[in-house]
Amino acid sequence: LCTPLIASRFSRLRQQYPRLALTIIPAGTDELFRLLNRNDVDLVCTLDSHIYNTNYVIASEKRVGVHFVTAADHPLAKLPILDKQILLEQDFLLTEQGMSYRRLLDEWMAKDSLQIQPVLESGSTDLLCRLVEQGAGVSFLPDYVTEGSVKRGTIVRLDAEDFRPELWVQLLYHRNKWVSRSMQAVIDHLSGISLQP
């Protein structure tokens, strides 16, 4: 999330608030909320299932599409809908196990006691997207990551049978947190950014 949320308009934020300093801590959702509960961070930005918790204020949220993707010339690209057995036969390039949308995929497969064994795991969605474009395999990625490749026609999004995952970008802070002017500026900045390349 750092590239689309921070890099796209960071210069504008710095011009408006030249004394503002940000520290970005990439971590899993559970770790981020542990830090938030200890007041070690001011805000949490997640890409995960929708979080409902009365301890937190949702400052902003957007639903994000997530799909299986493959190179446009891959045999799967011709199929109208995928089933789990076809997916098990593919070379998968995935994010780390237990991380947000990867967890959604693993839980969906586990409903039938199945598990995908990826040939590559990486935290870099840009790398996964490039490898998919090169025909190295299939991945499961948020739409904002693959949008440019889909528009260029190098990657195709695929739907799977009975699988409509709910993925959300949410910006949250603790209900007992005092929202300073600087913190509100960051909330406003992050809330106004589109997740498109």
Side-chain angles (χ1 to χ4, degrees), residues 173-197:
Y173 59 91
H174 200 280
R175 183 163 301 286
N176 297 329
K177 180 78 175 176
W178 174 69
V179 179
S180 67
R181 184 170 172 243
S182 297
M183 190 171 151
Q184 188 62 54
V186 173
I187 290 170
D188 293 344
H189 171 76
L190 294 178
S191 298
I193 295 175
S194 171
L195 290 175
Q196 301 300 326

Side-chain angles (χ1 to χ4, degrees), residues 2-128:
C2 287
T3 300
L5 290 178
I6 302 298
S8 64
R9 291 174 44 203
F10 183 70
S11 295
R12 182 186 299 172
L13 181 68
R14 290 285 299 140
Q15 286 172 350
Q16 285 181 291
Y17 302 94
R19 297 180 55 134
L20 182 71
L22 297 178
T23 301
I24 297 170
I25 303 169
T29 302
D30 291 340
E31 175 62 10
L32 288 173
F33 280 101
R34 186 186 69 77
L35 294 170
L36 189 64
N37 289 332
R38 289 182 26 194
N39 202 29
D40 290 336
V41 297
D42 295 322
L43 294 164
V44 164
C45 186
T46 66
L47 177 63
D48 212 320
S49 303
H50 199 282
I51 294 165
Y52 299 98
N53 188 316
T54 57
N55 291 323
Y56 311 118
V57 174
I58 300 172
S60 175
E61 63 183 5
K62 295 174 187 152
R63 188 163 191 252
V64 176
V66 58
H67 286 87
F68 292 99
V69 291
T70 193
D73 60 354
H74 191 283
L76 286 186
K78 296 176 180 72
L79 297 179
I81 196 143
L82 307 175
D83 64 37
K84 290 181 180 180
Q85 289 305 318
I86 290 172
L87 290 170
L88 285 174
E89 298 167 6
Q90 307 307 312
D91 290 334
F92 263 91
L93 316 165
L94 296 174
T95 53
E96 302 96 329
Q97 194 169 19
M99 299 302 284
S100 66
Y101 46 93
R102 166 71 188 274
R103 188 184 69 250
L104 296 175
L105 170 61
D106 290 341
E107 288 171 355
W108 176 65
M109 294 297 287
K111 286 179 183 177
D112 292 320
S113 300
L114 301 172
Q115 182 179 14
I116 290 174
Q117 297 294 330
V119 297
L120 175 72
E121 289 181 310
S122 172
S124 171
T125 56
D126 290 338
L127 172 64
L128 296 176

Side-chain angles (χ1 to χ4, degrees), residues 111-170:
K111 286 179 183 177
D112 292 320
S113 300
L114 301 172
Q115 182 179 14
I116 290 174
Q117 297 294 330
V119 297
L120 175 72
E121 289 181 310
S122 172
S124 171
T125 56
D126 290 338
L127 172 64
L128 296 176
C129 193
R130 274 190 247 129
L131 291 173
V132 168
E133 282 182 305
Q134 295 169 13
V138 177
S139 194
F140 184 68
L141 295 169
D143 292 351
Y144 73 87
V145 172
T146 61
E147 187 65 26
S149 300
V150 168
K151 285 182 178 175
R152 287 190 302 275
T154 57
I155 281 183
V156 175
R157 290 185 184 134
L158 308 166
D159 289 315
E161 191 174 58
D162 301 322
F163 187 42
R164 302 289 177 266
E166 288 271 324
L167 191 63
W168 291 82
V169 172
Q170 289 184 288

